[in-house]
Amino acid sequence: MQRSDLINYFRRVRQTTEDICQPLEIEDHVIQPITDVSPPKWHLGHTSWFYEAIFLDKHIDNYQPYHPQYAYVFNSYYESLGVRVDRNHRGYLSRPTVKEALQYRGYITDRMCELIESVDEAKWPEFSKLLVLAANHEQQHQELLVTDIKYILAVNPLLPGYLEESPAAVKSRSGQLPNTEFLHFEGGDYDIGYQGEEFYYDNERPVHKVRLDDFKLQNRLITNREYLEFIEDGGYKDFRYWLSDAWETVRTEGWKAPLYWRKIDGDWYEFTMSGLQKLNPEAPLCHVSYYEADAFAQWANKRLPTEAEWEVAARLSGVESDGANFFDTQNLHPVPLSTATGQSKQNLHQMLGDVWEWTGSAYLPYPGYRKAEGPLGEYNGKFMVNQMVLRGGCCATPRDHIRLSYRNFFYPDACWPFAGFCLARTTA
Amino acid sequence: MQRSDLINYFRRVRQTTEDICQPLEIEDHVIQPITDVSPPKWHLGHTSWFYEAIFLDKHIDNYQPYHPQYAYVFNSYYESLGVRVDRNHRGYLSRPTVKEALQYRGYITDRMCELIESVDEAKWPEFSKLLVLAANHEQQHQELLVTDIKYILAVNPLLPGYLEESPAAVKSRSGQLPNTEFLHFEGGDYDIGYQGEEFYYDNERPVHKVRLDDFKLQNRLITNREYLEFIEDGGYKDFRYWLSDAWETVRTEGWKAPLYWRKIDGDWYEFTMSGLQKLNPEAPLCHVSYYEADAFAQWANKRLPTEAEWEVAARLSGVESDGANFFDTQNLHPVPLSTATGQSKQNLHQMLGDVWEWTGSAYLPYPGYRKAEGPLGEYNGKFMVNQMVLRGGCCATPRDHIRLSYRNFFYPDACWPFAGFCLARTTA
Amino acid sequence: MQRSDLINYFRRVRQTTEDICQPLEIEDHVIQPITDVSPPKWHLGHTSWFYEAIFLDKHIDNYQPYHPQYAYVFNSYYESLGVRVDRNHRGYLSRPTVKEALQYRGYITDRMCELIESVDEAKWPEFSKLLVLAANHEQQHQELLVTDIKYILAVNPLLPGYLEESPAAVKSRSGQLPNTEFLHFEGGDYDIGYQGEEFYYDNERPVHKVRLDDFKLQNRLITNREYLEFIEDGGYKDFRYWLSDAWETVRTEGWKAPLYWRKIDGDWYEFTMSGLQKLNPEAPLCHVSYYEADAFAQWANKRLPTEAEWEVAARLSGVESDGANFFDTQNLHPVPLSTATGQSKQNLHQMLGDVWEWTGSAYLPYPGYRKAEGPLGEYNGKFMVNQMVLRGGCCATPRDHIRLSYRNFFYPDACWPFAGFCLARTTA
Amino acid sequence: MQRSDLINYFRRVRQTTEDICQPLEIEDHVIQPITDVSPPKWHLGHTSWFYEAIFLDKHIDNYQPYHPQYAYVFNSYYESLGVRVDRNHRGYLSRPTVKEALQYRGYITDRMCELIESVDEAKWPEFSKLLVLAANHEQQHQELLVTDIKYILAVNPLLPGYLEESPAAVKSRSGQLPNTEFLHFEGGDYDIGYQGEEFYYDNERPVHKVRLDDFKLQNRLITNREYLEFIEDGGYKDFRYWLSDAWETVRTEGWKAPLYWRKIDGDWYEFTMSGLQKLNPEAPLCHVSYYEADAFAQWANKRLPTEAEWEVAARLSGVESDGANFFDTQNLHPVPLSTATGQSKQNLHQMLGDVWEWTGSAYLPYPGYRKAEGPLGEYNGKFMVNQMVLRGGCCATPRDHIRLSYRNFFYPDACWPFAGFCLARTTA
């Protein structure tokens, strides 16, 4: 990549982060209602500190940190980069202010652009590769920002909206979708993992063969209407559908419906980025945990696809990101499959965008995976236990951030991400 | 009181609350780093909702609440006034914004002034009495505001100050104070409780007789220098000085010094409203718990005075609030006793202002006390267990809020209030 | 006391402890279902270790402990006597076995008797005084043994009894008691504290004057019938009767009735030392906390007596321990006041024995109290915060252990002791 | 299987359970020092109730339970078989006594033998199959009994032994083992899962193909000596070796060495079934968690094998259970590989017996797995999340209970099972 192209790309990523926070009140930037949800102000600072720690501090002689305490305040989990505020204490910090965090951002953006222009030609290949990684890191925080902002607004009894009103695509109600189809895929030995020449995360490699039996995959996402049937059939009250750890969670947390659903006077509503809205039955189900996805699958006498099945099916079906409902559409909510599309039956729908899709695969290293040395080694590898893989990105993911080989991961009880699922079947 | 006088008084109280928040950043208004510390924004709203619930809603026909959710958001603990946000979730609310909370304040202030002018003459005596109570309630929140703001700034790694710089009175270092004296008071049957005609809280009554033996009371507050001796003598490491519950707290919380003390490179510092400052050895000790006060007393082979001894000694000595270091001085920190005053030896110093003084008395009803019906019954009476009495007000207490009979109370492990102590001795 | 008398007394106390455990299964000796309830095996060992640490180790040259680990296993809370098993881990220890613990007891009893005979005449006065204290310590553990055994059996779904069947005195149902009377006592300056020449605990001294106003005290204990009225009137559902900390406990613990009450098919039962029994409405209420006692008093528009009122009333009324329902009766349950006695109206009933009576006094040092040096200083003084005073002993207290000046203390939420209450009134 | 053979087999299994408890004191049967460790008495009862619930209650008309409360007391986690004592409250139950639990066992054994003889021929195939499953269930509890007994004795400060003394095989110290070898295995498509005709658990099926790359597997278990190197190299202090969740556990639990290791005066000891013993450096490492196994692998720049690699390597190498160190040897501890065996280099050692071997595979259903209806459906399937697979059995596993396809599973922080590991490498 040319230096000027990289500067443009870098500045665009930086700007997007700030754009996301633009509709917020200052007060919205500060709070952390649960440990998983970081204050937006922290995201603003963290994504600046990251460049400071990884680039400026390494490439500039006698670099003086912008502020001596910011490394402590804005480090997330990088043990190799020093001590830091406890993760669940990020909401206890009123300073630096939002204004100061934005000044910090501006300073870092400018210094980084100077550095991009001035770094030695000899270091350029490695430097530019690392910078693309860092920009992808910032894009992940863009998605987290949207996800966390939604939670911050949803816990508020005033139920404030982030968008002025719901985009048309979100509201469309074109009649009930026809029943879903299960598409057939042949078993065999398939290559899995990233095989291109562009950026990828280390957890997408090595490319390796997996053996799949024949399987069938649902041609679209599970909808709110379908999930409502599960609820109305007593799904949250019957232990038989739930994994043991899941049932424990249902009981101790008192789960009775997806995170953002509310039943008011007999009608179901859903908290969205446009505030509380009547539940759209044809829209894809969103904000469920792995536990809920798996329980629904048990109830439906099906199962979740493995991550390998997901990737193979997507690749064989020629799934592409064009036209998918990513962050760039600014819907910030999954959109119903149009009846026309649904009836075409020719292909796999909604694999990319809308909602992350839970798979039945644990997040583990691919065969032959070795984590990197230094702070980048803390990026993916150290999380490879206790979490489940999700695929396909969501309506809060930047379009140019995702790939078919992209592996996201969350604990199986997480329900604040934009996550849903489709089902699979083994063909006997 | 005249209606116009009450309006002036009321408006002055309202203004003071807002003045306290004026130096804050918006971000400082939002956070709740521990359950005891409420967000300043919440104090702003709560002290408005209180008038709405107690006055506007009762006296105005078909009164429409300013906002249907504010009662839920801003109720503190009044069971009789409905459900409310969990006390430890106040820091999870970004809305209403500070600006909206201030607009709410303005609206309530204006409606209240209209009501003060228009209320029936027949209702006036009761109304005006209740309004003075409500204004005193707001004054208590003014003190809490200062106290909570200090905590919010102190947990921040950037250690921001609230005041531009320390007032001169706080910084004065006039050489080491002479040793303290213990003044002698005769035993006997004394009347305790509020005996005047002005405002008082119900917990200061009934006036009743107590029997005291002869006792001696220290003529001034314990200083930082004296407490440092206790620390350096291993006070925090020797179980013998501590009550059993206290020792458990010392161990589980890792207490090693008062809450806001920091040892840096061998020197002691103290976080103050002007940021981190070198510890002034002659200044009164501040921000210690009952547990620490009692342990110091054990170490010194003395005891804390009872609340009756405190009140009797103060009254016999003619203690007055003029000249005491209250909120009105804007020192916002206890000030050293001047050597001149200290040497005069003629009297009891620092009984009012500077720091609340822990007594050895549990907070219990006076003989014959009955709590009121309705929400006012929840004001004092329901807290009469598990807490200890403090007397005398502090540098964050408005001067016209305090009386010699005033009973404050905190749990014995509380160290975030401006609290210190003086010692007493029984004369054998 | 003569040496031989002391040996007899000492052996009798030792034997009683073992007698209490005699009806138990070995398995009953081992468990600790809540932190407050120690395994009976631990009581057996602790009351032996106490003599070893306080006497044998001090008076016998080169004394070798019976077992090097028993000090660690059987120390309760004496910081000055070394480290020990965490209090809430006592139920994690299967060894030493019950048999070994009893062998340890036998050894200690014999060595102590040798020591009693052989100790220097010069040391005798102090030695014998301390031994009486240690025997009283063991008597306190006898009461705790009964109390803890009851809890251990009550949590068991098989509801095993300790006694073969209920003693007749417990079962008597002589018709409904007449309404209670409130007896009048004159106010004035009274001496409080232990004034005799026999054994007493340090917390009963110094004798000192207190000033009392006129008061009225109920002539007997509150009964199950009376408490049932409170329950049926919604007592556990109405915040107005409860202290703030109490209401929090009611909600988080889900309290709906006294600890050992069970409602089965519309009838009330009570777990007793004879297993589950139909609730006897005329029997004194038992196993309530201070929170419940105070809530009942609020509901009844009365209050609890202070400890000074209790002691003065008992003394003025000539209350004696003869005939009271102590451990020695082996009822192990409070017994109904006989209608005959109740109708005599001439005096104060049930002040001693049956149930400990909660007072409205916090457990604090008497004026001039100083705790002793060394381990005995840890006996009473270090608990003087956060607890409430109870008076009068109960049906699990040895008769020769109690005095009118005896001060017991528990946290206000404790309901596993044999505790009830009577009411008082201030005369306006 | 013949009815008489099944009776013999069944009675042998029953007897073995009782034999395991024979060396215990009654007190050892009662306690539950951590939630994972059940009281031996509970195991005795649970393995009786299981037959009652699954067989007697289904096959005998109007069957009256042995005791109406035992289902409540002895159910483990079968939601379909009713409510039960909280899992972490099993140590709060002193009754039924050990004697009563053994009487219950005898009754159930006899009734079951009657039923085995009398059940309809038509029901025999299904009945006998289910009975073998139930006997295998009891064998699992035999291993748990040994595992839990070890923990119960280890937490005791008296450190009592279960065996009189260490078996010779455990103590053997034949000089330092030569370095380990990594054996090479060819990649390819392999069948995984149980392919025989005997008993198996449902989680070992369906048999299915997996694709493996070439890999190398260590020819024996990691020894204490090797793990000590990791410790001495600062393994427990360097975050870089640990998964993120693992590092959190290390810090909050204060892990510094394997569960049963103790450093005393500079020497390492290990708690064994024969009490505290000097650490045998050549013995296989035991009682480590997945977190520790994975950290060691990271430090050694290797990895754990997957469960498929383990099964393929064991099958290709002709691993057999004869001669392996199972429960039947009564060593109850892993034994050092003899130097002779170690030097032969011809094969894979210690795959079966000694210690369970952690694999790098999450416990998930095999492709096409469906859990059964009813209580048996709760046996394996509902645990398929958040746990890791272990293979090969251990010195507490009955020899006739294990198979190469056997899948055990524990949470990754579990260290109380007899678990160790060997390493694998990917061949680049």
Side-chain angles (χ1 to χ4, degrees), chain B residues 31-45:
Chain B
I31 67 173
Q32 181 179 34
I34 55 171
T35 299
D36 280 336
V37 167
S38 293
K41 179 161 75 82
W42 182 87
H43 287 293
L44 291 176

Side-chain angles (χ1 to χ4, degrees), chain D residues 142-417:
Chain D
Q142 289 165 6
E143 176 175 329
L144 280 172
L145 260 173
V146 174
T147 308
D148 292 356
I149 287 168
K150 185 168 183 179
Y151 195 94
I152 284 167
L153 300 177
V155 295
N156 197 294
L158 311 187
L159 295 169
Y162 170 88
L163 300 174
E164 293 277 314
E165 65 172 302
S166 271
V170 167
K171 283 190 286 190
S172 74
R173 271 197 191 81
S174 51
Q176 188 167 347
L177 284 176
N179 278 341
T180 186
E181 306 253 331
F182 280 82
L183 307 180
H184 185 85
F185 296 90
E186 294 289 322
D189 280 4
Y190 288 99
D191 279 330
I192 293 294
Y194 184 68
Q195 303 183 51
E197 302 291 318
E198 311 280 309
F199 173 77
Y200 63 93
Y201 283 119
D202 63 351
N203 63 4
E204 302 168 50
R205 288 266 180 99
V207 175
H208 63 287
K209 285 209 184 311
V210 295
R211 166 87 206 177
L212 297 185
D213 290 332
D214 288 4
F215 67 97
K216 291 182 184 296
L217 187 67
Q218 200 176 3
N219 67 337
R220 61 160 172 77
L221 292 168
I222 289 294
T223 63
N224 289 330
R225 181 188 303 279
E226 287 157 344
Y227 199 76
L228 211 42
E229 281 178 48
F230 168 66
I231 295 179
E232 286 168 358
D233 195 36
Y236 280 87
K237 293 174 193 156
D238 191 334
F239 71 87
R240 290 176 303 156
Y241 308 131
W242 300 81
L243 290 159
S244 179
D245 288 355
W247 186 240
E248 180 73 13
T249 305
V250 167
R251 289 193 310 138
T252 56
E253 300 294 316
W255 284 359
K256 292 191 176 111
L259 174 61
Y260 290 135
W261 289 25
R262 301 277 180 278
K263 197 168 196 175
I264 303 172
D265 297 337
D267 288 318
W268 282 104
Y269 292 78
E270 182 180 19
F271 186 80
T272 72
M273 293 300 268
S274 323
L276 200 66
Q277 301 289 340
K278 205 132 190 223
L279 190 73
N280 184 345
E282 305 320 323
L285 172 68
C286 192
H287 296 295
V288 287
S289 62
Y290 174 80
Y291 288 154
E292 288 161 302
D294 181 74
F296 180 93
Q298 290 287 334
W299 170 79
N301 214 21
K302 307 281 186 310
R303 61 175 176 83
L304 297 175
T306 64
E307 64 168 324
E309 289 171 338
W310 191 97
E311 187 172 330
V312 164
R315 204 162 279 145
L316 292 178
S317 306
V319 164
E320 291 194 346
S321 66
D322 292 355
N325 180 30
F326 284 115
F327 171 78
D328 313 63
T329 66
Q330 281 295 296
N331 289 318
L332 302 184
H333 201 76
V335 299
L337 188 63
S338 85
T339 315
T341 319
Q343 277 171 345
S344 71
K345 289 173 190 171
Q346 67 198 5
N347 216 328
L348 214 43
H349 305 292
Q350 300 175 316
M351 292 290 274
L352 292 177
D354 288 313
V355 295
W356 287 101
E357 287 154 61
W358 286 108
T359 72
S361 298
Y363 181 51
L364 291 172
Y366 280 170
Y369 171 83
R370 289 295 304 162
K371 65 180 190 189
E373 296 286 315
L376 296 185
E378 300 190 53
Y379 203 86
N380 275 309
K382 77 178 183 181
F383 299 109
M384 290 178 172
V385 71
N386 296 328
Q387 309 206 44
M388 302 302 289
V389 173
L390 303 95
R391 291 297 192 106
C394 73
C395 57
T397 316
R399 185 184 309 274
D400 63 349
H401 181 67
I402 209 76
R403 289 165 300 283
L404 291 185
S405 58
Y406 195 105
R407 308 174 77 198
N408 199 0
F409 48 90
F410 283 109
Y411 290 101
D413 62 349
C415 41
W416 102 110

